[in-house]
Amino acid sequence: MSILKTFKLGGIHPKEGKLSANSPIKVFPLPKTVYIPVSQHIGAPATVLVAKGETVKTGQLIAKGEGFISANIHSSITGKVAKIDEIVDSSGYPKKVIVIDRANEEIWCDNIINSDPNTTKEFTPEEVKQKIREAGIVGLGGATFPSHVKMSVPEGKTAEYLIINAVECEPYLTSDHRLMLEKGDEILKGISIMMKTLNTKKTLIGIENNKKDAIEHLQKLSKNYSGVEVISLKVQYPQGGEKQLIDALIKKEVPSGKLPIEVGCVVQNVGTAFAVYEALYKNKPLIERVVTVTGDSVKEPSNFLVRIGTPIESLIEAVGGLPETVAKVVNGGPMMGKALSNLSAPVTKGTSGILLIDKKEASRKIPKNCIRCARCTMVCPMGLAPYLLENLTNRKLFESSEKEGIMDCIECGSCSYTCPANRALLDMIRVGKSEVNTIRSKRVKK
Amino acid sequence: MGQSQLIISHSPHIKGKDSIESIMYGVVIAMLPALMASAWFYGIGALKVVIFSVIFSVIFEFLIQKYLLKIEPTVKDGSAIVTGILLGFNLPSSLPIWMIGVGALVAIGIAKLSFGGLGKNPFNPALVGRVFLLVSFPVEMTSWPRPLDTRTMLSIPDALTGATPLGLIKEGVAKGEPIAEIMKNAPSHLDALFGAIGGSVGEVSALALIVGGLYLLYKKIITWHIPISFLGTIAIFSGVFWLIQPEKYVDPLYHLLTGGILLGAFFMATDMVTSPMSKLGMLFFGAGAGLITILIRLFGAYPEGVSFAILIMNAIVPLINIAFKPKRFGEVKNG
């Protein structure tokens, strides 16, 4: 057996918990009401285009992303705008949402093709970027960075590789896994569109070795596409981190503070590739996504194709309601997801899973003295010294922590996960990062 | 469970299995083979020293924390047990019990708790306890009962004391005798491997220490960096001297098998609290401890130097941590 590729620094291997890996994607019933946030992406919130009482069709543009880094928002159902409201989402803050009550009959926007098109239509790069932008596509791995921005290679740089992030290194989540098994062809079509747009000859699809069926499936399909290679990776968290994945696949380090294009790479999530296919061949904007609903005491861990704006509580009801033993609900995976205070918060473009955590795992343990075991430095994938960054934050030495590379932290949580003294290392690093950000913005003003 | 009782906290939401307790009790398990070997060769005396050392360490930690510092005692975390066993391992099996108590008080009270308890102590507490006893009671600390003779299976009464292999060599070299002559009266390599030699309770059986060390590595409680650089440096330096003057210097394997080197390499230099925080730092630390050990053994007044070597390296750990930071991913060098 050959040695599987992986990234070189640090990493952990938490229990995988992929309970829903064998549950085919089910189409989730249309909700009575959807709550569609105008900011589901990194960048400026979209500007609302509809007013209360207005009737909207499925796929209709309801909020427009202004400025380069922003994304369009579309109605995910047919109905009437009930109000423009605020709702507390997984950030813990109230966010502006467009509330739409569903009409009985679903009417799709005219140009959307709702069957499987058998087309090999060619597009110019400008058309592709335009359509990706119009469709409101963002990085579906969870970072939700607007995809059209990534598709625009800055002048003087070339995209030698398109890297498809199909790692799904977060425990429990299986939405990308199921998508690869069920929509492999569409994903590969989306990939070839992106390759042409980026003028890239080589695509690497990185998949962790705990998804052997997906690896085999895509390997078989990719034979019909030139320059597309599926690479099986060792199971190691956080391999889905952009910089870690590039390192694992092509052994290049993205320099600190720089983007992947610096080493000739554009990284897109596998779900994003599928969304690109839908946008180009079906004119379908991003109004639905696959969401894993899972947890150790969930009776039927499932994968649903869910319309954006569906309340999370209805997803929980669909898997048998909130079990008695559950004490925490997480939007995302167990390593980087956000704990929800409000279960009526909606599914957004970045929601890859809803994880129900049992009481025994939900609370933190009491922190003790650091025993200087150095495990945090050994597992940090960015080669930082988390114990030191925590200490510098406690002592309010933010300038020093900036020198120690605190801004390189990708917040993967490996340090807190590993710490035998139960210290909240990442919490303190987050505090430090936000202080350094403040210092930096003051510096710019001067 | 209703929505109002949901727990909110930042990620990560899951936690690895390692805890301070699992690490400490893992170290205790790893020390059992050496303890059993010592009981075999030295009888009940060896067990007595270790058991009393553990009892004293735990009791002192409990009493000082509860009544002097008035904080919640942390004896459950197992670190006092580890210190107790390690201190016992560093004592002759014939040491009077009250002296063990003094050693434990120094180790726990001064070297550990006065600095703020587990995690804050710059020096390895067990070694501080041992060195305190060594300079306070030099006679008792260097009187070694003879081990069980593996050929006759007869143990020799406690009253008779024998020197350690390193002591024999130091004495012989001082008299100007050639190594070959000294080695005729010293235990063989094989005796040193199994433990039929004079020495502190925990250091006699090289084999048992290696088994324990491998367990620590297997359980990922320690990494290979400190033991390998420590042992490697000793092998290289003693090897160089041996190759140049084999009549004056003993071979490197004998150095590795005797005295406190294996105990030090696997159990004391690797003490996480008092060792560096990066792999490069650990390599430097191990090499430094190895070098100082061999310098003391070959040129110092004492036959053995592991304790001093580790304590000296403990002292410069903060500097090592500054000098050897982990290698950062994608680091951009300034200028």
Side-chain angles (χ1 to χ4, degrees), chain A residues 312-369:
Chain A
I312 284 167
E313 57 198 346
S314 60
L315 267 62
I316 297 171
E317 272 154 36
V319 295
L322 207 57
E324 272 297 305
T325 50
V326 166
K328 194 191 256 182
V329 178
V330 173
N331 179 357
M335 290 304 294
M336 291 185 77
K338 285 183 170 152
L340 284 163
S341 58
N342 173 19
L343 296 186
S344 50
V347 167
T348 64
K349 293 174 183 177
T351 307
S352 45
I354 300 298
L355 172 64
L356 277 53
I357 298 181
D358 283 347
K359 223 172 275 174
K360 58 178 191 293
E361 277 191 299
S363 303
R364 290 188 175 177
K365 298 192 180 107
I366 296 162
K368 298 177 179 163
N369 277 1

Side-chain angles (χ1 to χ4, degrees), chain B residues 49-67:
Chain B
V49 167
V50 172
I51 289 169
F52 273 103
S53 175
V54 169
I55 291 173
F56 281 129
S57 299
V58 171
I59 288 178
F60 285 138
E61 176 153 305
F62 181 84
L63 293 178
I64 293 171
Q65 287 182 322
K66 189 159 175 94
Y67 296 105

Side-chain angles (χ1 to χ4, degrees), chain B residues 275-319:
Chain B
S275 60
M277 300 295 279
S278 70
K279 291 174 187 170
L280 261 179
M282 288 175 186
L283 290 173
F284 181 84
F285 175 89
L291 182 63
I292 298 171
T293 299
I294 210 70
L295 288 176
I296 295 175
R297 277 190 179 191
L298 299 182
F299 308 110
Y302 283 98
E304 173 61 311
V306 172
S307 309
F308 296 111
I310 295 175
L311 288 173
I312 290 168
M313 291 311 287
N314 284 164
I316 64 164
V317 162
L319 299 177

Side-chain angles (χ1 to χ4, degrees), chain A residues 25-31 33-35 40 75-77 108 140 175 179 274 278 284-293 302-316 318-319 345-354:
Chain A
I25 299 169
K26 282 176 275 188
V27 175
F28 197 77
L30 296 180
T33 307
V34 289
Y35 304 82
Q40 306 180 33
S75 177
S76 59
I77 57 169
W108 289 73
L140 293 181
S175 53
L179 195 69
F274 178 69
E278 295 225 298
K284 194 169 163 185
L286 185 56
I287 57 162
E288 57 188 5
R289 67 158 297 148
V290 183
V291 179
T292 301
V293 185
S302 306
N303 301 290
F304 295 119
L305 182 65
V306 187
R307 295 287 169 90
I308 302 297
T310 303
I312 284 167
E313 57 198 346
S314 60
L315 267 62
I316 297 171
V319 295
V347 167
T348 64
K349 293 174 183 177
T351 307
S352 45
I354 300 298

